[in-house]
Amino acid sequence: MSYLTLNNVSHHYFTKKGYTKALSDVSFSVEEGEFISVIGPSGCGKSTILSLVAGILKNTAGEILFKQKPINQSGLEIGYMLQQDYLFPWKNIMENMLIGPKVKKGNLNEAKETALALLDEVGLKDEADSYPDSLSGGMRQRVALARTLMTDPNILLFDEPFSALDYQTKLRLENSVADLLKKHHKTAILVTHDIGEAISMSDRILLMGQNPGTIVKKFEVPIEIRNEIPFKVRRHHKYQSLFDNIWEELNKNEAVS
Ligand SMILES: Nc1ncnc2c1ncn2[C@@H]1O[C@H](COP(=O)(O)OP(=O)(O)OP(=O)(O)O)[C@@H](O)[C@H]1O
Ligand SMILES: [Mg+2]
């Protein structure tokens, strides 16, 4: 039984001038604990897929199921992490971590313990009293990641969360995200423009094409690569051949669109 299933999902954006057909006939499934990446040209509908899974948008056609139930009736909890960290600058790191539990009116003492444990896991336990402005971009994204895990979501959605960071920070963050998700046995969908990032973090990669936005190819990442930490993956001989395959397909699809 699949954890998340998209069956023939299409989405149109309606505007004053007409409509944009953003997605057409998208079908894929994600198993529990699996890490999936979605890559494809700008405007092909990657972020739209995440918004549909998060329930922020309602698909025009098709169905999205979590544990075989329509997502709005399934109790699906989503964690969303974007390129921008959306930390509130006037709240310190602990207060930022506690926003979710406060909204949900949960037990705050327990939430504080969880927050400290998660900050510890991302190497920022000593920054609980600091304000976001005093942290580097990479540290802020690590806080954002820890905050995303506070509500123990079923599925984590990442929309280019590392793209604004410098290369070294990005590689380090890829490692800590991969570690943390494996440890917490989390299911994730990552949207990225970076083929290397997709290969190094994922179990499977979905390549999208444009006009209409749809999945054109699915790639399985070899097990040897999956078992390697993201930083080392880039030096694995199987990495280069998969990279070349994806690159070729990407160019093929951009050429016809
Ligand atoms: N709110 C909106 N209203 C109308 N059209 C939209 C809206 N959001 C996105 N679109 C259109 O839908 C299509 C898919 O957009 P989407 O943002 O999902 O693409 P993307 O693959 O995430 O692109 P990028 O890589 O640039 O982030 C694009 O043609 C875009 O112009
Ligand atoms: Mg996008």
Side-chain angles (χ1 to χ4, degrees):
M1 184 177 91
S2 283
Y3 202 50
L4 179 76
T5 315
L6 278 79
N7 282 331
N8 309 106
V9 170
S10 297
H11 188 69
H12 297 177
Y13 285 103
F14 293 94
T15 57
K16 277 183 189 160
K17 287 183 190 159
Y19 68 91
T20 310
K21 207 170 175 186
L23 288 179
S24 171
D25 218 11
V26 169
S27 297
F28 67 91
S29 57
V30 185
E31 303 304 321
E32 188 167 9
E34 210 180 6
F35 195 114
I36 299 274
S37 284
V38 182
I39 57 177
S42 185
C44 70
K46 303 180 293 296
S47 299
T48 303
I49 290 185
L50 297 191
S51 299
L52 292 172
V53 171
I56 297 167
L57 296 172
K58 175 83 187 85
N59 39 307
T60 317
E63 56 178 9
I64 306 181
L65 306 174
F66 175 63
K67 294 185 179 171
Q68 313 290 9
K69 287 189 187 153
I71 44 170
N72 57 352
Q73 299 159 26
S74 66
L76 168 64
E77 290 270 353
I78 289 290
Y80 219 141
M81 191 172 154
L82 304 155
Q83 186 178 352
Q84 249 186 309
D85 54 55
Y86 291 106
L87 298 176
F88 292 117
W90 62 90
K91 288 183 185 287
N92 69 25
I93 299 307
M94 178 54 78
E95 288 163 349
N96 267 289
M97 292 287 286
L98 295 177
I99 291 169
K102 272 190 181 156
V103 171
K104 290 192 157 186
K105 298 197 172 21
N107 179 328
L108 272 192
N109 286 331
E110 270 177 30
K112 263 185 200 166
E113 271 180 40
T114 309
L116 275 179
L118 284 168
L119 286 175
D120 195 19
E121 286 188 67
V122 296
L124 293 172
K125 198 176 186 177
D126 296 339
E127 303 294 341
D129 298 329
S130 306
Y131 283 81
D133 279 354
S134 66
L135 268 51
S136 70
M139 288 159 96
R140 292 170 62 122
Q141 279 302 64
R142 279 189 275 150
V143 175
L145 172 69
R147 186 178 63 177
T148 308
L149 290 168
M150 278 297 289
T151 51
D152 198 22
N154 305 106
I155 299 179
L156 287 150
L157 304 175
F158 296 105
D159 202 344
E160 305 189 43
F162 314 123
S163 56
L165 303 170
D166 64 85
Y167 192 63
Q168 267 168 306
T169 309
K170 177 181 140 93
L171 290 188
R172 272 196 220 112
L173 205 58
E174 282 176 17
N175 280 340
S176 36
V177 169
D179 260 5
L180 205 61
L181 295 195
K182 248 184 212 153
K183 200 173 140 201
H184 289 259
H185 196 61
K186 285 290 167 205
T187 309
I189 305 177
L190 167 77
V191 162
T192 178
H193 276 108
D194 182 337
I195 300 174
E197 184 171 292
I199 297 176
S200 62
M201 298 195 73
S202 324
D203 299 309
R204 278 188 298 139
I205 298 169
L206 311 179
L207 173 66
M208 292 186 67
Q210 230 168 351
N211 304 323
T214 193
I215 293 168
V216 290
K217 194 122 187 168
K218 297 175 183 173
F219 297 88
E220 192 91 20
V221 177
I223 192 80
E224 300 92 319
I225 294 187
R226 279 191 242 164
N227 290 337
E228 202 51 277
I229 60 165
F231 180 68
K232 287 194 175 166
V233 163
R234 287 172 166 82
R235 284 179 269 160
H236 200 286
H237 68 278
K238 291 206 169 175
Y239 169 90
Q240 197 55 50
S241 58
L242 181 55
F243 189 104
D244 293 345
N245 270 343
I246 297 175
W247 178 252
E248 196 181 319
E249 283 295 329
L250 194 61
N251 283 321
K252 232 193 262 173
N253 284 292
E254 284 197 16
V256 293
S257 65

